[in-house]
């Protein structure tokens, strides 16, 4: 019932809410739990046994009162601030996901000298002391207001107000409320979940020092029927009385093994309740006299051994006697909240006096203070209280998991000796409350069952309390999930209706369908334009690295399989790189810009990796080489103008043209500085126009305009792939997969015999040098209209298709070719070069395609077209 | 000096937060050198060289920043200073664009994505760092005590970063 | 749920065994079981420094699949799958093996190519595999967002219908119980601190409980393999990394299968009691701390919510990390070593749980015969000399 | 989130770095002189100790310098090196 006065609730602001469709009222300042308790509302029935359950605790340790509020499942009612119109549904330990979370959850980094975790008495004292020194102080507390357990003790509220005001006066002190420090990671990095209207914020704090003032959680007592509604933690009863002005019962039995529950007894008496204290300790507490003088009864050497009532408790057994009651306030002692200390790598020690695990050695820069450090009343440990009938199956250790002492005994009976085994066998500690009230009791029960001396040990892992997925995800959603990199010409592609593909983080035009056109039609059209007229592609995504220094040529010689030191200035050469394992790593064209200056291009996806690779070898192996690398990937927009008419187009715009294939000139195009190279990835006459990124769009548009009379056609990555495949040029990452050497690709010519390079030694290992490795070949389907799927596996024609079927290789690239008027493919095929002219089969789910093995060059094998 | 054929990576982007804007086309020249005849700023600091800002990028790497169109002059200056000394001078002006984030919300905005401690006692005017802002690599420098920060970001990442900033600043306007 | 009462004895340690297995995880327990069951070698001890199956076995996300790309991998994992399919019956213990299907999503054209290649290779290797279109993905797992306008749209998926999950603890206990009943000594709290040598041969181990003679010593110690092998003077091509995972509270059934996405680093299933079980990517640095970095978890959940918007309201209850033993080609190392009498079984990386039965089966064969079975012959140490790697990287950048 | 001290830029969050594994593995001066086993050892075999580990990091999002650090693989603490 709600007391007529007192508490920290705002009685001028009544709030209406529903639980399971029934309307109730509460006040601002209530939690959903305190308002439920004021209205005698039960929690949901238990998960397996369907037993009625009530609210047990007043904080995050609550094992029973889980509710669904709107779309949010699995909130402990004790942590839900009451607001007007809340519609709550009680749950039986299992929530329901139905709708996406549209809350706004963001993140921020923060730094401080001292992070104080917990705004109770100890935390406030630490924060004030640190604040007075001028240090940068962070104080985080999970409650809506500071005070911690002080909020349950009205005689401290004046001091609380003073301290909170002083904290507010420190310019470098920041107080976060509704903020739970849930993770303590390496190097004093802590995560805080802050509840905010409509969502929350994840704080990542790097702290100089951390003060853990996280308080303690009370332990229940383990007796028969200890889960009956009306059995509550004594400290929680006190919180409901004093903070929320809710008295959970009027005839109370307080059952304890320590002095802390006497304060609850006294407060209950003051509220007008009848109180019987059953203190398990034989020696009477010094506080007993206070209780008696306030009108209560105290019995030493007595404990509750069972309960009756349905659903609420109506009486308890005290050994052979029975006492009527409607509230049982229990205290089995307190567990310091050592979770963060433990997460930080700190060790724990079992303290006999308090029968609790307390911080022992800190590993990082943290200190525990107050009750979190074990400053607690001594207790008489009492892990289990036998029932009169000897049964153990209603002695609940973990209420949310419906796990009892009987379950623990079954586990130890099965041979389990480790607490971890028992927990897994019984599922104790794995529910939403993370076993906060169950954990240490379980260890005590196991120790008793095994006849071991002391319980333990245990460790804690993040998070301290459950954290919404949405909070950890933060704003990295939708377009912000991962940067979408775009070129300077991107807006043009979008306007032109391009379809895009993701290549690494880049968005690249895939093809440019005309209205009503299929992808196949579009690609055939684009290919035809590049082969017969002129096509144009945005190649800006290629990685570009300038290498400057007198040893640049020597360095490139060591990195690439082929040689670059003697490359004439003004010319370019295709190169290939291997990993130390001898497998193809990347490829690209290298230009020699000056005697001491090269420009290396990389594949789109590998740009960063190649630069890292260069720097790694330069810095760690060959620091004596005088070379410096600078990424210029985005300095240049790159426009590939391709096809027999490309010279007409580029010639109309460029002041100068490169004299021959694999040469380049620094000139102007459309009036802006440009580097124009005769490089071809298609086998056609082609020009690669490089201009500063900010000129990219204008020059692209100029190229389009100049090419209009020739029907210039923009093409995407798909057409690029077809054109290069017709020429048998491999794509690293498509025709290779990390298991392919340059020799496997049939590119013996690119592997220098005279110089050393990274990976060379690997090429003559027994397996790598085997003649029957998979080698790159061409395939022509026997039916020229049949398109081999990329990824089709290849077998010899007479192979029975009973698994496991011996496979020869797979199709790496496969297209329809406008130039060939048929389909074709590239494949990696075992002993492929010995199979030229033979037929292989590609058995698919529904049919088998036969194809003839060919050289991988299908188009213009003489290379006559590259010169126009 | 710019011409009307130039288009910045964020041309066409409207910044909803009034304290974020693009400073396009700044000249930037990358210098990598062992020994240099003129004093260059030390780690995480910005210095000057003949009227240009010089940002420390690494133990042998600096970024010389000047007004739009200044890159050829900077290159000439650096080459002359180097003489026969081996060093790498590369124009990277178009590699990045610059975002200015300024005013009372600047620090809290950047803190949402930048793991550096930007407290005035740690990072102030004249400081610079290569770091991360959200999921983009940036060069960050504080220009004045307002505070105004300059965020130098690769052109391809600029639209992402602009979108991120629009989101990060939405509580401030 | 009822368990048989007695799982295992807590036996006295003998001074000599035919085989000492170092590591009482899933692989060690399975090896002991198959040594006894298949080869009649029952004078076997499994030495576990902590509690049985308390390492990676207790920390994995329990996904079972055999749809590996390379022929050698497919063969050994498919052997495991067949053993899984009969395991509850064979061990007379319900391991809660649920063949609910495993989807591997494709988000790029490269993923699609790789997925189709894998489906084709799997089929010819006798591994069930299908290629699904985005609509078929939606049909199979309705909570996956297949809209085309997300950052990395779902372009398709491979499906292995026989893949699924099992209850890791039950698997361990089932093997332990069966091995125990065949006479194997399961010794917990027994840490190996060195090897007893005679001539060049390993003839026993030193432990915190004294020396133990052994006809053969078989390492089955996952992330700790390098440290143990170094005690025998053996260097392994293994690096130990944290691999993080997390679990939500119990939720009503919402997720009917297993979904994995290498591209965005997500793998998730809903366990039989209702918790969502998610795995993250490997932390890049070497570690024995069973602790990773929180940003790895954050990235992973961001990606998870893109695929499964409905998960936004779920809560992370626990996070943890295992110590995974990664090899240069992302394939295991199972076989004899250059040190006579010493065998090694490691390098399973992220694939350890799903391989458990086959790993134990081939390892037992190897120990019993002194040479590898055909299934693990390709996975010997010598491949790092010859170059005959079984490279699963391309197929499994974040393989699980 | 490890805090890693870049020798040039100062302490920075782990996300700014890439990991390079074991340090002090020298590229053989003459790979061709090595046996297959020796070469395989160089390419594939690295120490993997429990405890202090000399390793390489590169400050990818910062100065791009590779550096050596000694970190304990159990506690993750870096040893201060002069």
């Amino acid at each position: 019932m709600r007391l007529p006065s007192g508490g920290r609730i705002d009685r001028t602001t009544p709030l209406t809410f529903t639980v399971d469709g029934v309307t109730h009222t509460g006040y601002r300042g209530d939690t959903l739990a305190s308002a439920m308790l004021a209205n005698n509302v039960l929690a949901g029935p238990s998960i397996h046994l369907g037993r009625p359950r009530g609210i047990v605790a007043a904080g995050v340790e609550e094992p029973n009162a889980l509710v669904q509020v709107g779309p949010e499942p699995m909130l402990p009612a004790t942590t839900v601030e009451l607001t007007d119109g809340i519609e709550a549904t009680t749950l039986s330990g299992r929530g329901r996901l139905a709708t996406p979370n549209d809350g706004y959850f963001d993140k921020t980094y923060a730094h401080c000298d001292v992070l104080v975790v917990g705004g109770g008495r100890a935390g406030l004292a630490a924060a004030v002391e640190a604040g007075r020194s001028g240090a940068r102080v962070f104080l985080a507390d999970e409650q809506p207001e500071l005070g911690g357990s002080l909020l349950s003790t009205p005689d401290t509220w004046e001091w609380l107000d003073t301290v909170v005001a002083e904290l507010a006066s420190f310019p470098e002190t920041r107080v976060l409320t509704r903020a739970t420090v849930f993770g303590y990671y390496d190097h004093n990095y802590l995560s805080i979940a802050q509840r905010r209207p409509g969502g929350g914020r994840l704080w990542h704090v790097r702290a100089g020092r951390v003060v853990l003032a996280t308080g303690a959680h009370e332990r229940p007592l383990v007796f028969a029927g200890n889960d009956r509604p009306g059995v509550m933690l004594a400290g929680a009863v006190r919180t409901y009385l004093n903070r929320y002005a809710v008295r959970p019962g009027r005839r109370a039995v307080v059952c304890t093994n320590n002095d802390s529950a006497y304060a609850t007894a006294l407060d209950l008496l003051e509220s007008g309740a009848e109180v019987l204290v059953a203190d398990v300790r034989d020696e009477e507490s010094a506080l007993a006299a206070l209780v008696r003088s306030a009108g209560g009864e105290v019995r030493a050497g007595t404990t509750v051994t069972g309960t009756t009532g349905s659903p609420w408790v109506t009486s308890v057994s005290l050994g052979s006697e029975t006492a009527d009651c409607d509230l049982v306030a229990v205290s089995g002692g307190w567990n310091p909240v050592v979770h963060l200390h433990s997460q930080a790598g700190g060790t724990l020690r079992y303290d006999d006096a308090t029968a609790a695990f307390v911080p022992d050695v800190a590993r990082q820069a943290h200190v525990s203070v107050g009750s979190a450090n074990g400053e607690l009343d001594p207790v008489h440990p009492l892990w289990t209280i036998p029932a009169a009938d000897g049964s153990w199956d209603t002695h609940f250790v973990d209420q949310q998991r419906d796990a009892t002492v009987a379950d623990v005994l079954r586990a130890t009976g099965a041979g389990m000796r480790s607490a971890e085994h028992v927990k897994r066998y019984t599922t104790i500690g794995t529910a939403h409350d993370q076993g906060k009230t169950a954990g240490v009791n379980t260890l005590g029960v196991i120790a008793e069952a095994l006849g071991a001396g002391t319980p333990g040990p245990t460790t804690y892992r993040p998070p301290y309390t459950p954290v919404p997925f949405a909070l950890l995800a933060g704003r990295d959603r939708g377009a912000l999930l991962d940067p979408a990199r775009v070129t300077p010409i991107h807006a043009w592609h979008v306007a032109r209706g391009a379809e895009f593909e993701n290549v690494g983080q880049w968005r690249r035009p895939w093809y440019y369908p005309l209205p009503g056109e299929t992808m196949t039609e579009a690609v055939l059209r684009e290919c035809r334009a590049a082969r017969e007229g002129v096509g144009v592609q945005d190649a800006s995504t290629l990685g570009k690295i300038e290498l400057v220094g007198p040893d640049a040529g020597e360095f490139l010689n060591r990195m690439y399989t082929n040689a670059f030191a003697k490359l004439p200035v003004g010319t370019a050469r295709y190169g290939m790189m291997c990993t130390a394992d001898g497998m193809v790593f990347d490829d690209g064209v290298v230009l020699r810009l000056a005697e001491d200056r090269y420009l290396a291009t990389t594949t789109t996806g590998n740009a960063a990796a190649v630069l890292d690779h260069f720097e790694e070898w330069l810095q760690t192996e060959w620091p004596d080489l005088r070379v410096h690398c600078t990424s210029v990937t985005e300095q240049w927009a790159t426009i590939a103008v391709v096809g027999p008419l490309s010279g007409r187009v580029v010639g109309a715009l460029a002041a100068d043209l490169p004299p021959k294939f694999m040469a380049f000139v620094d000139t102007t195009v459309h009036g802006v500085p440009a580097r124009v190279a005769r490089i071809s990835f298609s086998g056609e006459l082609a020009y690669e126009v490089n201009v500063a990124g900010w000129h990219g769009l204008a020059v692209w548009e100029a190229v389009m305009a100049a090419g209009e009379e020739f029907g210039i056609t923009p093409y995407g990555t798909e057409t690029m792939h077809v054109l290069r495949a017709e020429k048998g040029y491999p794509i690293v990452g498509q025709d290779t997969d990390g298991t392919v050497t340059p020799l496997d690709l049939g590119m013996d010519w690119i592997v220098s015999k005279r110089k050393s390079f990274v990976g060379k030694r690997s090429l003559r290992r027994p397996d790598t040098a085997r003649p029957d490795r998979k080698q790159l070949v061409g395939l022509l389907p026997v039916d020229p209209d049949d398109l081999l799927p990329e990824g089709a596996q290849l077998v010899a024609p007479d192979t029975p298709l009973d698994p496991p079927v011996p496979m020869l290789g797979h199709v790496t690239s496969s297209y329809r070719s406008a130039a060939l008027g048929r389909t074709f493919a590239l494949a990696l095929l075992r002993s492929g070069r010995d199979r030229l002219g033979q037929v292989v089969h590609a058995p698919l789910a529904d049919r088998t395609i036969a194809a003839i093995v060919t050289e991988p060059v299908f188009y213009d094998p003489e290379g006559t077209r590259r010169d126009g | 000096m710019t011409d009307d054929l130039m288009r910045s990576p964020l041309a066409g982007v409207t910044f909803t937060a009034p304290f974020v804007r693009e400073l396009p086309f700044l000249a930037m020249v990358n210098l990598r050198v062992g020994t240099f005849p003129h004093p260059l700023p030390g780690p995480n600091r910005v210095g000057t060289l003949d009227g240009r800002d010089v940002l420390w990028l690494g133990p042998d790497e600096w970024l010389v920043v000047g007004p739009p169109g200044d890159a050829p002059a900077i290159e000439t200056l650096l080459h002359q200073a180097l003489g026969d000394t081996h060093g790498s001078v590369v124009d990277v002006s178009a590699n990045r664009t610059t975002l200015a984030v300024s005013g009372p919300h600047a620090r809290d905005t950047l803190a949402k994505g930048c793991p550096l401690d930007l407290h005035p006692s740690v990072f102030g005017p004249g400081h610079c760092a290569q770091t991360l802002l959200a999921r983009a690599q940036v060069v960050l420098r504080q220009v004045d005590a307002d505070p105004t920060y300059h965020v130098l970001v690769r052109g391809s990442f600029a639209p992402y970063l602009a979108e991120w900033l629009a989101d990060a600043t939405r509580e401030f306007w | 749920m009822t368990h048989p009462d007695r799982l295992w004895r807590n036996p006295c340690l003998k001074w000599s065994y035919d085989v000492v297995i170092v590591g009482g995880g899933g692989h060690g327990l399975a090896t002991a079981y198959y040594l006894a069951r298949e080869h009649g070698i029952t004078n076997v001890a499994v030495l576990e420094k902590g509690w049985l199956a308390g390492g990676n076995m207790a920390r994995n996300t329990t996904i079972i699949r055999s749809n590996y790309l390379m022929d050698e991998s497919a063969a050994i994992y498919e052997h495991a799958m067949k053993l899984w399919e009969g395991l509850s019956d064979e061990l007379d213990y319900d391991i809660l093996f649920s063949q609910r299907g495993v989807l591997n999503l494709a988000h790029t054209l490269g993923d699609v190519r790789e997925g189709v290649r894998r489906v084709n290779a799997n089929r010819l290797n006798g591994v069930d595999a299908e290629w699904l279109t985005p609509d078929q993905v939606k049909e199979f797992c309705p909570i996956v967002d297949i809209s085309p306008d997300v950052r990395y749209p779902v372009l398709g998926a491979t499906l292995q219908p026989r893949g699924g999950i099992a209850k890791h603890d039950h698997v361990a206990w089932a093997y332990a119980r069966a091995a125990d009943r065949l006479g194997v000594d399961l010794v917990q709290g027994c840490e190996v601190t060195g090897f007893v040598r005679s001539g060049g041969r390993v003839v026993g181990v030193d432990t915190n409980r004294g020396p133990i003679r052994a006809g053969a010593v078989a390492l089955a110690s996952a992330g700790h393999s390098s440290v143990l092998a170094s005690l025998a003077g053996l260097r392994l091509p293994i690096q130990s990394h944290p691999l993080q995972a997390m679990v939500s509270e119990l939720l009503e059934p919402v997720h009917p299968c297993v979904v994995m996405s290498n591209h965005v680093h997500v793998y998730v299933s809903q366990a039989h009691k209702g918790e969502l079980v998610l795995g993250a990517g490997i932390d890049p640095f070497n570690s024995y701390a069973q602790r990773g970095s929180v940003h790895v978890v954050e990235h992973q959940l961001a990606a998870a919510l893109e695929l499964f918007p409905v998960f936004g309201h779920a809560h992370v209850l626990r996070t943890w990390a295992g110590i995974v033993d990664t090899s240069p080609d992302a394939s295991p190392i199972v076989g004899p070593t250059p040190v006579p009498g010493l065998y090694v079984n490691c390098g399973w990386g992220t694939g350890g749980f799903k391989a458990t039965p086959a790993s134990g089966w081939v390892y037992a064969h190897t120990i019993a015969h002194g040479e590898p079975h055909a299934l693990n012959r390709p996975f010997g140490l010598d491949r790092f000399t010859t170059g005959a790697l079984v490279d699963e990287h391309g197929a499994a950048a974040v393989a699980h | 989130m490890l805090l890693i001290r870049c020798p040039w830029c100062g302490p920075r969050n782990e996300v700014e770095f890439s990991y390079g594994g074991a340090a002090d593995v020298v590229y053989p001066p003459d790979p061709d002189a090595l046996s297959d086993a020796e070469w395989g050892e160089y390419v594939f075999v690295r120490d993997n100790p429990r405890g202090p580990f000399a390793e390489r990091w590169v400050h990818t999002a910062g100065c791009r310098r590779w550096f050596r650090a000694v970190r304990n693989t159990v506690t993750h603490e870096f040893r201060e090196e002069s």
Side-chain angles (χ1 to χ4, degrees), chain A residues 201 475 481 485 629 634-635, chain B residues 32 92 94-95 135 156 167 171:
Chain A
R201 173 166 292 170
R475 301 303 303 154
L481 175 68
R485 300 177 67 183
C629 304
E634 303 186 41
Q635 173 67 21
Chain B
R32 296 196 64 172
V92 291
N95 222 28
R135 296 195 176 195
S156 68
D167 185 67
E171 70 170 299

mmCIF file of all heavy atoms in Angstrom, chain A residues 201 475 481 485 629 634-635, chain B residues 32 92 94-95 135 156 167 171:
data_model
loop_
_atom_site.group_PDB
_atom_site.id
_atom_site.type_symbol
_atom_site.label_atom_id
_atom_site.label_comp_id
_atom_site.label_asym_id
_atom_site.label_seq_id
_atom_site.Cartn_x
_atom_site.Cartn_y
_atom_site.Cartn_z
ATOM 1 N N ARG A 201 22.544 6.763 -25.129
ATOM 2 C CA ARG A 201 23.882 7.119 -25.591
ATOM 3 C C ARG A 201 24.876 6.165 -24.963
ATOM 4 O O ARG A 201 24.804 5.861 -23.784
ATOM 5 C CB ARG A 201 24.204 8.565 -25.211
ATOM 6 C CG ARG A 201 25.637 8.990 -25.508
ATOM 7 C CD ARG A 201 25.808 10.484 -25.426
ATOM 8 N NE ARG A 201 25.086 11.145 -26.523
ATOM 9 C CZ ARG A 201 24.887 12.460 -26.602
ATOM 10 N NH1 ARG A 201 25.320 13.257 -25.660
ATOM 11 N NH2 ARG A 201 24.237 12.970 -27.633
ATOM 12 N N ARG A 475 24.836 4.729 -34.222
ATOM 13 C CA ARG A 475 24.402 5.363 -35.470
ATOM 14 C C ARG A 475 24.975 4.662 -36.692
ATOM 15 O O ARG A 475 24.764 5.121 -37.818
ATOM 16 C CB ARG A 475 24.811 6.843 -35.481
ATOM 17 C CG ARG A 475 24.237 7.651 -34.340
ATOM 18 C CD ARG A 475 22.718 7.596 -34.299
ATOM 19 N NE ARG A 475 22.121 8.057 -35.538
ATOM 20 C CZ ARG A 475 20.910 7.676 -35.968
ATOM 21 N NH1 ARG A 475 20.190 6.835 -35.267
ATOM 22 N NH2 ARG A 475 20.429 8.159 -37.093
ATOM 23 N N LEU A 481 26.447 2.718 -41.894
ATOM 24 C CA LEU A 481 27.019 1.434 -41.489
ATOM 25 C C LEU A 481 28.479 1.342 -41.910
ATOM 26 O O LEU A 481 29.327 0.865 -41.167
ATOM 27 C CB LEU A 481 26.229 0.275 -42.107
ATOM 28 C CG LEU A 481 26.801 -1.118 -41.845
ATOM 29 C CD1 LEU A 481 26.677 -1.485 -40.373
ATOM 30 C CD2 LEU A 481 26.090 -2.161 -42.700
ATOM 31 N N ARG A 485 32.242 4.895 -50.601
ATOM 32 C CA ARG A 485 33.170 5.806 -51.278
ATOM 33 C C ARG A 485 32.716 6.028 -52.716
ATOM 34 O O ARG A 485 32.329 5.078 -53.392
ATOM 35 C CB ARG A 485 34.589 5.230 -51.243
ATOM 36 C CG ARG A 485 35.115 5.013 -49.835
ATOM 37 C CD ARG A 485 36.486 4.380 -49.849
ATOM 38 N NE ARG A 485 37.495 5.270 -50.413
ATOM 39 C CZ ARG A 485 38.769 4.918 -50.576
ATOM 40 N NH1 ARG A 485 39.170 3.691 -50.261
ATOM 41 N NH2 ARG A 485 39.636 5.778 -51.080
ATOM 42 N N CYS A 629 56.787 6.734 -50.195
ATOM 43 C CA CYS A 629 55.516 6.448 -50.858
ATOM 44 C C CYS A 629 54.464 7.462 -50.434
ATOM 45 O O CYS A 629 54.383 7.823 -49.256
ATOM 46 C CB CYS A 629 54.990 5.063 -50.467
ATOM 47 S SG CYS A 629 56.148 3.736 -50.801
ATOM 48 N N GLU A 634 43.207 9.564 -54.756
ATOM 49 C CA GLU A 634 42.103 10.485 -55.015
ATOM 50 C C GLU A 634 42.571 11.839 -55.521
ATOM 51 O O GLU A 634 41.766 12.723 -55.773
ATOM 52 C CB GLU A 634 41.267 10.616 -53.752
ATOM 53 C CG GLU A 634 40.802 9.225 -53.378
ATOM 54 C CD GLU A 634 39.841 9.208 -52.229
ATOM 55 O OE1 GLU A 634 38.971 10.090 -52.200
ATOM 56 O OE2 GLU A 634 39.969 8.319 -51.378
ATOM 57 N N GLN A 635 43.885 11.976 -55.662
ATOM 58 C CA GLN A 635 44.381 13.172 -56.327
ATOM 59 C C GLN A 635 43.915 13.171 -57.787
ATOM 60 O O GLN A 635 43.645 14.208 -58.361
ATOM 61 C CB GLN A 635 45.909 13.194 -56.263
ATOM 62 C CG GLN A 635 46.577 14.293 -57.057
ATOM 63 C CD GLN A 635 46.285 15.676 -56.498
ATOM 64 O OE1 GLN A 635 45.923 15.825 -55.337
ATOM 65 N NE2 GLN A 635 46.405 16.696 -57.349
ATOM 66 N N ARG B 32 57.849 14.397 -47.828
ATOM 67 C CA ARG B 32 58.482 13.332 -47.035
ATOM 68 C C ARG B 32 59.985 13.498 -47.164
ATOM 69 O O ARG B 32 60.534 13.503 -48.262
ATOM 70 C CB ARG B 32 58.043 11.947 -47.518
ATOM 71 C CG ARG B 32 56.554 11.711 -47.329
ATOM 72 C CD ARG B 32 56.208 10.254 -47.438
ATOM 73 N NE ARG B 32 56.833 9.496 -46.356
ATOM 74 C CZ ARG B 32 56.562 8.211 -46.124
ATOM 75 N NH1 ARG B 32 55.711 7.556 -46.896
ATOM 76 N NH2 ARG B 32 57.163 7.581 -45.133
ATOM 77 N N VAL B 92 49.055 16.860 -53.474
ATOM 78 C CA VAL B 92 47.893 16.042 -53.108
ATOM 79 C C VAL B 92 46.675 16.928 -52.846
ATOM 80 O O VAL B 92 45.780 16.562 -52.099
ATOM 81 C CB VAL B 92 48.189 15.147 -51.885
ATOM 82 C CG1 VAL B 92 49.182 14.057 -52.240
ATOM 83 C CG2 VAL B 92 48.690 15.967 -50.703
ATOM 84 N N ALA B 94 44.063 17.678 -54.482
ATOM 85 C CA ALA B 94 42.745 17.159 -54.815
ATOM 86 C C ALA B 94 42.452 15.846 -54.092
ATOM 87 O O ALA B 94 41.374 15.287 -54.228
ATOM 88 C CB ALA B 94 42.617 16.956 -56.325
ATOM 89 N N ASN B 95 43.405 15.373 -53.320
ATOM 90 C CA ASN B 95 43.222 14.112 -52.609
ATOM 91 C C ASN B 95 42.181 14.259 -51.502
ATOM 92 O O ASN B 95 41.434 13.334 -51.217
ATOM 93 C CB ASN B 95 44.557 13.688 -51.987
ATOM 94 C CG ASN B 95 44.834 12.210 -52.148
ATOM 95 O OD1 ASN B 95 44.369 11.594 -53.105
ATOM 96 N ND2 ASN B 95 45.586 11.655 -51.231
ATOM 97 N N ARG B 135 33.992 6.516 -39.293
ATOM 98 C CA ARG B 135 34.726 5.459 -39.983
ATOM 99 C C ARG B 135 35.599 5.995 -41.104
ATOM 100 O O ARG B 135 35.903 5.296 -42.061
ATOM 101 C CB ARG B 135 33.748 4.411 -40.508
ATOM 102 C CG ARG B 135 33.031 3.713 -39.363
ATOM 103 C CD ARG B 135 32.358 2.460 -39.799
ATOM 104 N NE ARG B 135 31.761 1.793 -38.652
ATOM 105 C CZ ARG B 135 31.355 0.543 -38.651
ATOM 106 N NH1 ARG B 135 31.491 -0.181 -39.728
ATOM 107 N NH2 ARG B 135 30.816 0.019 -37.582
ATOM 108 N N SER B 156 36.651 10.821 -51.521
ATOM 109 C CA SER B 156 35.670 9.747 -51.654
ATOM 110 C C SER B 156 34.915 9.504 -50.356
ATOM 111 O O SER B 156 33.805 8.993 -50.377
ATOM 112 C CB SER B 156 36.370 8.446 -52.087
ATOM 113 O OG SER B 156 37.192 7.956 -51.049
ATOM 114 N N ASP B 167 24.113 13.964 -39.081
ATOM 115 C CA ASP B 167 23.472 13.170 -38.041
ATOM 116 C C ASP B 167 23.998 13.552 -36.660
ATOM 117 O O ASP B 167 23.231 13.717 -35.709
ATOM 118 C CB ASP B 167 23.724 11.686 -38.326
ATOM 119 C CG ASP B 167 23.001 10.776 -37.358
ATOM 120 O OD1 ASP B 167 21.765 10.750 -37.411
ATOM 121 O OD2 ASP B 167 23.663 10.139 -36.524
ATOM 122 N N GLU B 171 21.334 17.174 -32.782
ATOM 123 C CA GLU B 171 20.834 17.587 -31.468
ATOM 124 C C GLU B 171 21.188 19.038 -31.151
ATOM 125 O O GLU B 171 20.717 19.577 -30.162
ATOM 126 C CB GLU B 171 21.390 16.669 -30.376
ATOM 127 C CG GLU B 171 22.864 16.825 -30.124
ATOM 128 C CD GLU B 171 23.324 16.063 -28.866
ATOM 129 O OE1 GLU B 171 22.832 16.367 -27.779
ATOM 130 O OE2 GLU B 171 24.167 15.166 -29.016
#
